[in-house]
Amino acid sequence: KQKDQTPLKEKFKRFERDGFQIYVGKNARNNDELTLKFAHKDDLWLHAKGVSGSHVVIKHKFNMTFPVHVIQYAAALAAHYSSSAGAEWVPVIYTPKKFVRKPKGFEPGQVVMDREEVIMVEPKLP
C-alpha cells in the first residue's frame, strides 16, 4: 500500500469565519484524521448530536475565545454535513478537542466526549 502524502490540512473541507479556520471531515476515516491527528487540544470540536455526520474543528487562536457567531456558523456546518441535514433545527454538541477521545475498538469516526455543550442551529451552508 502506498502512503497518502497529501498534507493533513488539505484533506478536509475548509471554511473561514472572522479569521477562524474551520475544517470539516469528509467521511468516517477522514473524521478520525481530523480529530485525532490534525486537531490541537485547544481547538473546538463539534458534531451533530446523536446522528452520523462530519466532525468539525474550529482552530484556536492564541489568547482568544471562540466568538458565539463563529460557533453558530461551525455548528450549522456540522448540522448540514450530518444525517439530520433535512431537519428544521439540529442539536449540535461542542467541546474543546482535549475532551474528545477514541476508546480502543471503536469504529472509524466514533468517539467519546466529555463536558459537551449543545447549541440548536439550522443546518445550512454559508
Side-chain angles (χ1 to χ4, degrees):
K1 261 187 175 179
Q2 199 146 12
K3 198 133 167 99
D4 185 0
Q5 298 298 322
T6 308
L8 269 180
K9 71 178 183 181
E10 293 178 16
K11 291 184 175 187
F12 318 112
K13 293 179 182 117
R14 191 172 146 252
F15 300 87
E16 189 267 334
R17 183 66 175 226
D18 293 344
F20 284 87
Q21 298 300 312
I22 302 168
Y23 294 89
V24 179
K26 296 177 181 176
N27 56 47
R29 290 196 192 288
N30 193 249
N31 282 342
D32 278 352
E33 280 188 295
L34 175 63
T35 300
L36 305 172
K37 293 181 181 175
F38 180 70
H40 182 271
K41 67 182 180 80
D42 294 327
D43 293 344
L44 196 64
W45 182 90
L46 302 93
H47 192 280
K49 185 176 176 129
V51 297
S52 61
S54 293
H55 294 195
V56 176
V57 169
I58 307 172
K59 298 301 282 179
H60 78 286
K61 289 179 151 196
F62 185 72
N63 271 348
M64 287 186 74
T65 57
F66 296 99
V68 173
H69 66 278
V70 172
I71 295 171
Q72 290 171 332
Y73 178 87
L77 291 171
H80 177 78
Y81 289 109
S82 76
S83 57
S84 291
E88 191 172 339
W89 291 97
V90 177
V92 174
I93 54 175
Y94 64 96
T95 189
K97 192 288 183 182
K98 64 184 168 191
F99 298 122
V100 179
R101 56 193 165 79
K102 184 176 188 81
K104 191 173 190 138
F106 269 41
E107 296 291 320
Q110 284 186 316
V111 293
V112 174
M113 75 288 312
D114 300 311
R115 303 185 192 185
E116 73 266 16
E117 294 187 47
V118 178
I119 186 170
M120 296 295 291
V121 295
E122 293 179 77
K124 60 183 173 185
L125 281 176

